[in-house]
Amino acid sequence: MKTKDNNTIFQPVMLPHRPAGFYEFVMLHGRSLPGKLGYFCFRKLKRRQFRRNERAFYQVVSDLRRGDICVDLGANVGEFTRLMADKGAEVIAYEPDPETFARLNEAVGARANVQLHQKAAGAQNGIVQLQRAARYDEHPEKFSQASSLVRRDASMDPKNSVDVEVIDFVAELKAMDRDIRILKVDIEGSEFELLDALIQDPIVNRIDTIFVETHEWMDPVNYVPMVIRFQEWAERVERPYLNLFWL
């Protein structure tokens, strides 16, 4: 908890994970096993951690007030942008896909407290190919959620892709020079490189809360150890609160 304008605001606290019972104790230690068994344990434990942490995002959103800054990375068609903007916060939203961005702009672009950027967030500036889901044309609004800069499995369509601008998000935050109340990250596999850069820079101390949907299933061998390392980092710091079990 901390104060703002003499009013107490809600600040979640990341407590060190303690296994609740024998089952979670086994899953916690089992996640270090190699191969599918270790990943199975990781997923089972994460599912329980999700249930314990799922309310935190909505608690922080309900406590937003006018003048707060929220950043929505991977805004898609604006579900969470709208949710945060409805509370009076200033929301800065990023969505790289031009077709999805058009729907985002139609949904929330007219709001005075929303800024939209047709860009992806990453660890460095560049132009990268965004690949859409193979079923994208069946239901663009639904399957646009799977569009990714890094995912390249059979569910994706290499023929349905578009070059998009990627920004160095750490540099963007420094240029913004403002405290961030909520940073929401749902960027389909690109979160690992971005988070790795973010937590190594002092700018992370200007963020109150970070909520991330992690996609370690895309590459469990490389991504699961990163999620564990991020979680261990989150348990050591007072700010920001980092929730890796959001969705």
Side-chain angles (χ1 to χ4, degrees), residues 7-21:
N7 293 317
T8 300
I9 69 170
F10 176 75
Q11 178 71 9
V13 176
M14 177 56 65
L15 300 175
H17 176 69
R18 297 286 185 264

Side-chain angles (χ1 to χ4, degrees), residues 110-158:
R111 295 192 175 207
N113 59 331
V114 172
Q115 299 178 35
L116 301 182
H117 300 277
Q118 189 181 317
K119 299 175 182 179
Q124 56 189 359
N125 294 322
I127 302 296
V128 179
Q129 187 182 77
L130 179 78
Q131 202 165 107
R132 295 174 177 135
R135 300 179 64 186
Y136 177 84
D137 290 336
E138 294 178 24
H139 194 318
E141 186 165 322
K142 175 181 178 180
F143 289 104
S144 63
Q145 298 178 36
S147 298
S148 175
L149 301 178
V150 298
R151 186 180 177 187
R152 294 295 183 266
D153 58 39
S155 296
M156 308 304 285
D157 182 3

Side-chain angles (χ1 to χ4, degrees), residues 63-191:
D63 196 54
L64 288 173
R65 52 232 29 214
R66 199 169 303 278
D68 284 341
I69 308 297
C70 300
V71 178
D72 188 349
L73 302 184
N76 199 255
V77 296
E79 175 186 356
F80 294 104
T81 297
R82 182 186 298 109
L83 186 66
M84 294 183 286
D86 282 348
K87 301 298 293 186
E90 179 181 339
V91 185
I92 306 169
Y94 295 81
E95 170 53 51
D97 189 306
E99 293 184 8
T100 306
F101 183 83
R103 290 190 286 273
L104 172 66
N105 189 50
E106 182 178 354
V108 296
R111 295 192 175 207
N113 59 331
V114 172
Q115 299 178 35
L116 301 182
H117 300 277
Q118 189 181 317
K119 299 175 182 179
Q124 56 189 359
N125 294 322
I127 302 296
V128 179
Q129 187 182 77
L130 179 78
Q131 202 165 107
R132 295 174 177 135
R135 300 179 64 186
Y136 177 84
D137 290 336
E138 294 178 24
H139 194 318
E141 186 165 322
K142 175 181 178 180
F143 289 104
S144 63
Q145 298 178 36
S147 298
S148 175
L149 301 178
V150 298
R151 186 180 177 187
R152 294 295 183 266
D153 58 39
S155 296
M156 308 304 285
D157 182 3
K159 296 180 181 179
N160 190 1
S161 62
V162 59
D163 288 341
V164 299
E165 180 181 358
V166 181
I167 60 165
D168 179 339
F169 185 64
V170 169
E172 189 85 350
L173 283 179
K174 291 178 179 178
M176 196 183 302
D177 195 29
R178 302 173 73 178
D179 286 357
I180 306 299
R181 185 76 175 101
I182 296 176
L183 170 60
K184 168 252 170 184
V185 184
D186 183 5
I187 51 179
E188 300 302 313
S190 297
E191 65 273 8

Side-chain angles (χ1 to χ4, degrees), residues 32-51:
S32 62
L33 294 171
K36 293 182 178 180
L37 183 57
Y39 183 59
F40 171 84
C41 293
F42 173 88
R43 292 294 298 173
K44 290 295 184 181
L45 184 60
K46 180 179 178 181
R47 194 167 299 163
R48 292 199 169 205
Q49 291 169 320
F50 163 76
R51 289 199 291 268

Side-chain angles (χ1 to χ4, degrees), residues 195-225:
L195 274 178
D196 204 29
L198 183 59
I199 68 174
Q200 295 182 56
D201 196 285
I203 195 67
V204 75
N205 297 315
R206 302 203 67 170
I207 306 172
D208 282 342
T209 61
I210 306 175
F211 295 88
V212 187
E213 180 178 5
T214 61
H215 301 80
E216 61 281 336
W217 51 267
M218 292 184 183
D219 186 359
V221 171
N222 290 308
Y223 291 157
V224 167

